[in-house]
Amino acid sequence: MHTKRIVQFVSVAIALSVLGLFHGLITPNERREELPAGSFEETMVDTLTFTRPTNLGYAHSSDDEQPAVQRSTPTTFLPGSPVPGSNYSRVVVIPRMEEDDVAWISTEIPMLNVSIFVANNPSAALHPPKNKGHEVMIYLSYLVDYYDQLPDIVLFMHAHRWTHHNNLLLGFDASQMINSLNGAHVMREGYVNMRCHWSPGCPEWLRPTGMQDTLGKQEETVLKRCWHELFPFDPVPSFLAQPCCAQFALSRDRIRSIPRSRYIFYRDWILKTPLSDYVSGRIWEYSWQYLFTKDSARCPPEHVCYCDGFGFCFGGKSAYQQYLDLVNKRNKLREDSQTQNRGHHANEASNLLGDNDTNLSIVMINTERRLHLEAQIAKLDAEIATRRQAAQTRGAEPRLRAKECHRPWEEGDGF
């Protein structure tokens, strides 16, 4: 009888051990319940989901414990495969403050699904767990809350329609950027920065110096420490770079190539970090490209970005630069014209008061100069418009896009 009870006890113990092992093998996604938008789930970092990239090509600072790694091209993420003729589903994620004017969304992109998170209103239908970290908190909240309900493409954009960090060629207009974005390009790349222009952000921007901030980049003083907290198994890069300012597009496959638990972990970091919103936001502004591509610097040539990303192909780097030179020349003449107009009005007023021949002569000379400037500006405007239209026509042809971007292309490819 005693022996029989021992056997029963051992059998129960073995069964419990097997059940415990099976439970441990269940992934975090299988264990969790779906959370409503704006809810908050706390988790510790799951070390099983972190992998140390090898041969990434980032140099360590002298006091790093890990050995230096030689530069090479990372291959952590596989490229996507666009399907010719596909109408990819999209969602635009936009963080806003209650006071922001977002009327342009319903008028300029009415056919798109838009998820607008109100950062400073916890009663809003969509809101983050806390108004902290600027757009980072909301971007991560969307990835956490909608991980299992993603469209083909997710665009992360700011609330303002016109702003200096939008693309010049698209009138600094967020709606034009959203409407012009080439979905096949996003599906192929996985991660696409919505800004093409390098300045600011490229070719090298943040360095983990640990010293005093340079050029007002106070985030550099804490970058190395933050890197060890965010990417504890990855070597510290020698620098981070991508075009500013935290507006980008992701494919569903690229988002899901990273476990949901990682996004929760990063959001926890934002919630708990003692860093200011400005500094934590800036750290992430130049870290998104690493998270989704494993590239510490991702600065595609501007003409390639415009061509493959938005369908404006000038025929190469040189032709694109010629277009920019014309725009810069036109803008300089506009500044001169405005200065001339201010002087013209001042001299007219002086002439009315003094009624002297000298002031009258100055007014006549200024008028002649102003008309000359306006004629030059009109001529440049016409040339700029012609080149822009030609670039757009060229960009509508998939073969020419592939050629300019040095991509393989076969007859029948519709992207």
Side-chain angles (χ1 to χ4, degrees), residues 34 76 341:
E34 190 63 34
T76 305
N341 283 337

Side-chain angles (χ1 to χ4, degrees), residues 134-409:
H134 296 311
E135 72 277 342
V136 183
M137 178 68 74
I138 286 172
Y139 290 1
L140 291 172
S141 291
Y142 178 85
L143 295 173
V144 168
D145 296 341
Y146 292 93
Y147 189 85
D148 295 326
Q149 306 169 44
L150 296 169
D152 295 322
I153 294 170
V154 183
L155 289 81
F156 296 89
M157 298 289 293
H158 293 174
H160 301 105
R161 178 179 178 183
W162 288 290
T163 179
H164 68 93
H165 57 66
N166 286 341
N167 285 327
L168 176 149
L169 194 57
L170 294 162
F172 302 104
D173 186 345
S175 67
Q176 287 195 44
M177 292 167 64
I178 292 169
N179 289 325
S180 300
L181 180 65
N182 180 0
H185 179 57
V186 179
M187 298 299 288
R188 181 169 45 247
E189 295 295 319
Y191 170 88
V192 172
N193 192 319
M194 293 292 286
R195 178 176 167 85
C196 292
H197 295 269
W198 278 22
S199 179
C202 289
E204 300 179 10
W205 192 249
L206 294 184
R207 292 183 175 275
T209 59
M211 308 296 288
Q212 62 182 3
D213 59 291
T214 57
L215 298 176
K217 302 174 189 175
Q218 54 184 286
E219 61 271 21
E220 284 192 331
T221 63
V222 296
L223 176 57
K224 185 176 179 180
R225 174 170 63 82
C226 291
W227 191 268
H228 287 309
E229 293 172 358
L230 293 168
F231 307 102
F233 297 97
D234 294 3
V236 179
S238 56
F239 61 87
L240 295 174
Q242 71 167 332
C244 85
C245 296
Q247 297 188 121
F248 53 88
L250 289 167
S251 69
R252 176 175 53 218
D253 288 346
R254 185 56 55 90
I255 292 172
R256 289 184 179 166
S257 66
I258 298 171
R260 178 176 178 271
S261 58
R262 288 277 296 274
Y263 300 125
I264 298 172
F265 168 71
Y266 294 137
R267 189 173 67 172
D268 285 356
W269 183 87
I270 287 288
L271 284 164
K272 297 174 182 177
T273 181
L275 298 174
S276 69
D277 288 4
Y278 173 81
V279 172
S280 61
R282 292 278 287 184
I283 291 290
W284 271 100
E285 182 178 339
Y286 294 99
S287 297
W288 292 115
Q289 83 283 1
Y290 182 82
L291 175 63
F292 291 114
T293 71
K294 287 302 179 189
D295 291 339
S296 65
R298 193 167 182 84
C299 300
E302 292 181 15
H303 73 284
V304 171
C305 173
Y306 270 125
C307 182
D308 230 3
F310 300 96
F312 288 88
C313 304
F314 288 87
K317 182 178 179 179
S318 177
Y320 168 73
Q321 187 58 53
Q322 290 173 12
Y323 174 85
L324 289 185
D325 290 342
L326 288 173
V327 171
N328 291 333
K329 183 177 180 181
R330 187 270 316 273
N331 291 345
K332 178 63 170 60
L333 289 177
R334 282 180 174 174
E335 292 177 4
D336 293 345
S337 179
Q338 291 171 358
T339 301
Q340 196 73 31
N341 283 337
R342 286 193 293 268
H344 172 75
H345 294 314
N347 285 321
E348 278 188 328
S350 176
N351 186 49
L352 289 173
L353 291 174
D355 193 27
N356 58 68
D357 293 339
T358 301
N359 283 338
L360 182 60
S361 298
I362 293 175
V363 168
M364 293 177 65
I365 293 172
N366 285 343
T367 299
E368 184 177 348
R369 289 176 178 173
R370 179 167 53 84
L371 293 174
H372 178 66
L373 285 172
E374 289 175 355
Q376 287 183 293
I377 291 170
K379 184 177 180 180
L380 286 172
D381 279 340
E383 178 65 18
I384 289 168
T386 298
R387 294 196 181 207
R388 186 183 186 279
Q389 182 58 54
Q392 192 169 20
T393 301
R394 190 180 295 109
E397 173 55 55
R399 179 182 60 83
L400 295 179
R401 287 203 306 272
K403 180 180 179 180
E404 183 158 339
C405 301
H406 303 289
R407 282 193 292 102
W409 184 85

